[in-house]
Amino acid sequence: MRQYQITSSHFHPVPASPETFSLRKIALPAFGPSLLFGMGEGAVFPILALSARDLGASSAQAGFIVALVGVGSLLANLPAAALATRYGERRAMVGAALFSLLGLVLCLLAANPWLFGTGVFMVGMSSAVFLLARQTFLIEAVPLYLRARAMSTLGGIMRIGMFAGPFIGAAFIHWLGLPGAYWLAILSMLGAGLVSLAIPDLEPRQTTQVTAPPRISMRQLARKHAHVLLTLGVATALVSALRACRQIVIPLWADHIGLDATTTALIYGLMGAVDMLLFYPAGKVMDVRGRFWVAFPSMLIMGLSLLIMPWTTGFVSLLVVCLVLGFGNGIGSGIIMTIGADASPSEGRTVFLGMWRQITDLGGSGGPLLLSGLTAIASLATGIVSIGGIGLMAAWMFWRWLPRGRAV
């Protein structure tokens, strides 16, 4: 059996391990902290704008404060790589949970919008550190033939946490008012930090290496792997842009065609349920058939769904399109992390992944800005169709540069 992974711009065969390893063996240390971290974020993200407004922020200021989550993550990607490289993945995860906890406490105690925004910014920064450390940890701990399943499960577990967070948070809000969501998030982050602290480090798969590899600078890594960063890196940035816009266009188009908030929430929830059910099958297909056979159809389905969305006129038609959109996103669970893991070199892996996340986060931040600009200049339908075109562009880039390699 041969497996393939990306190094620079090529796939090279690497030996496959006997299939004796099970993800169940590492379920708690690998995915437990991620579930709690995702639940904490999911509890507070829906009410950040409301909290900002309660503190006297205008609608524009509240929108800016919510955007600080993404800004914090974007600015923290490269420092996160340095922290994880210096202190190790487990310590970085513990530190990220504690830093997020401090940010949440600041949000809870804030007396004005800008102090509240500082806490939100801290939560965004900690998210970048936590996710980068978790990804690096799994790359080292999981054999190659299970890599995609591990990455898609990581992404799926985070989605489950963020999906459950608002529902559990609603119960806390019922008991404690709006601060209840922050108390749930604080408990979740504390749990994530304690689990990360209590569990032992997993032994890396490659234990024969006696001496540490030489340090390689970020500039050297960027130069050496420029081709893969500018091709597959950009393709995954388009994936990130498409996913970020997906969360915006659904409520906007639902409002445009006259659906109320309850109906919109139902559509969004059903789409999310379809999305979450597919993360493990998606990972298995990537491991058995190859990354291309998930990445390409995922972007094709999502792109076409968004191209069709402006033609919907009511609940049933929009629901059908959104379910197909959720299916496309669900089968693509983990593709950004998996392709990045495949592309990462053994020397300077954490720094490379920091650069990879920087590129994809730029896509996630730029997509909504592009949608906003096109909607202002032309129309909402034009903006949605253009975002659909981004999905088709990503599909073409995967067709052009993502190898069809699979286990044979």
Side-chain angles (χ1 to χ4, degrees):
M1 179 182 288
R2 295 197 304 172
Q3 296 281 348
Y4 293 83
Q5 70 178 143
I6 303 172
T7 57
S8 186
S9 58
H10 305 284
F11 264 30
H12 294 290
V14 296
S17 303
E19 300 201 12
T20 57
F21 187 93
S22 172
L23 289 178
R24 292 188 185 94
K25 296 178 181 178
I26 62 166
L28 178 61
F31 306 119
S34 301
L35 177 65
L36 292 168
F37 201 92
M39 186 182 299
E41 291 191 335
V44 297
F45 282 179
I47 53 97
L48 290 178
L50 294 177
S51 297
R53 291 284 286 157
D54 284 350
L55 290 171
S58 66
S59 296
Q61 289 171 338
F64 175 76
I65 288 171
V66 174
L68 287 175
V69 175
V71 174
S73 177
L74 183 66
L75 295 180
N77 281 321
L78 299 180
L83 286 172
T85 299
R86 181 169 182 178
Y87 297 107
E89 287 78 21
R90 189 169 69 96
R91 290 182 180 177
M93 287 165 50
V94 173
L98 290 177
F99 192 69
S100 181
L101 192 150
L102 290 175
L104 289 166
V105 170
L106 189 59
C107 290
L108 192 60
L109 300 178
N112 60 72
W114 302 117
L115 193 59
F116 177 77
T118 302
V120 172
F121 183 73
M122 291 171 65
V123 171
M125 293 181 70
S126 65
S127 178
V129 178
F130 187 91
L131 291 175
L132 180 66
R134 185 76 308 196
Q135 183 183 12
T136 306
F137 182 77
L138 281 177
I139 293 172
E140 296 297 330
V142 176
L144 180 61
Y145 67 86
L146 283 175
R147 175 179 288 171
R149 270 168 280 191
M151 295 299 166
S152 62
T153 301
L154 175 62
I157 289 294
M158 288 289 290
R159 292 181 191 185
I160 290 172
M162 295 193 72
F163 183 80
F167 292 101
I168 303 174
F172 274 71
I173 292 172
H174 178 72
W175 296 328
L176 303 172
L178 206 56
Y182 296 95
W183 281 113
L184 172 60
I186 287 170
L187 292 174
S188 299
M189 294 303 173
L190 184 60
L194 289 175
V195 172
S196 300
L197 184 64
I199 57 178
D201 284 320
L202 295 180
E203 290 292 330
R205 290 181 295 109
Q206 299 174 348
T207 57
T208 57
Q209 188 173 340
V210 179
T211 58
R215 289 287 181 90
I216 182 169
S217 71
M218 190 177 299
R219 181 176 297 180
Q220 289 173 311
L221 276 172
R223 187 182 300 114
K224 185 176 181 180
H225 301 282
H227 183 270
V228 74
L229 290 170
L230 293 175
T231 54
L232 292 176
V234 171
T236 54
L238 296 181
V239 175
S240 187
L242 190 65
R243 287 174 170 174
C245 291
R246 171 186 67 107
Q247 301 181 48
I248 301 171
V249 299
I250 294 171
L252 289 179
W253 188 254
D255 179 71
H256 179 77
I257 61 176
L259 300 182
D260 59 26
T262 303
T263 304
T264 302
L266 176 62
I267 292 174
Y268 203 92
L270 291 172
M271 181 188 69
V274 172
D275 189 333
M276 287 191 302
L277 290 173
L278 297 171
F279 66 85
Y280 190 82
K284 186 167 185 178
V285 171
M286 281 193 281
D287 280 329
V288 175
R289 295 281 300 169
R291 307 345 183 188
F292 172 83
W293 303 105
V294 161
F296 175 76
S298 171
M299 289 301 98
L300 192 63
I301 291 170
M302 292 187 72
L304 290 175
S305 297
L306 288 170
L307 289 178
I308 295 170
M309 186 175 289
W311 297 93
T312 62
T313 57
F315 170 73
V316 175
S317 57
L318 181 59
L319 175 62
V320 170
V321 169
C322 288
L323 290 178
V324 174
L325 185 63
F327 175 81
N329 192 53
I331 65 171
S333 178
I335 58 174
I336 293 177
M337 290 189 293
T338 302
I339 296 173
D342 289 341
S344 63
S346 57
E347 296 180 20
R349 170 167 286 153
T350 305
V351 176
F352 178 90
L353 291 175
M355 292 191 293
W356 188 269
R357 280 188 55 83
Q358 188 78 355
I359 292 171
T360 57
D361 279 1
L362 283 171
S365 301
L369 292 176
L370 176 63
L371 173 66
S372 176
L374 290 172
T375 301
I377 294 171
S379 66
L380 177 59
T382 301
I384 295 174
V385 168
S386 300
I387 298 304
I390 286 179
L392 299 184
M393 175 64 71
W396 177 82
M397 295 183 77
F398 286 136
W399 178 276
R400 173 67 179 81
W401 284 294
L402 187 60
R404 275 64 158 176
R406 64 181 178 89
V408 294

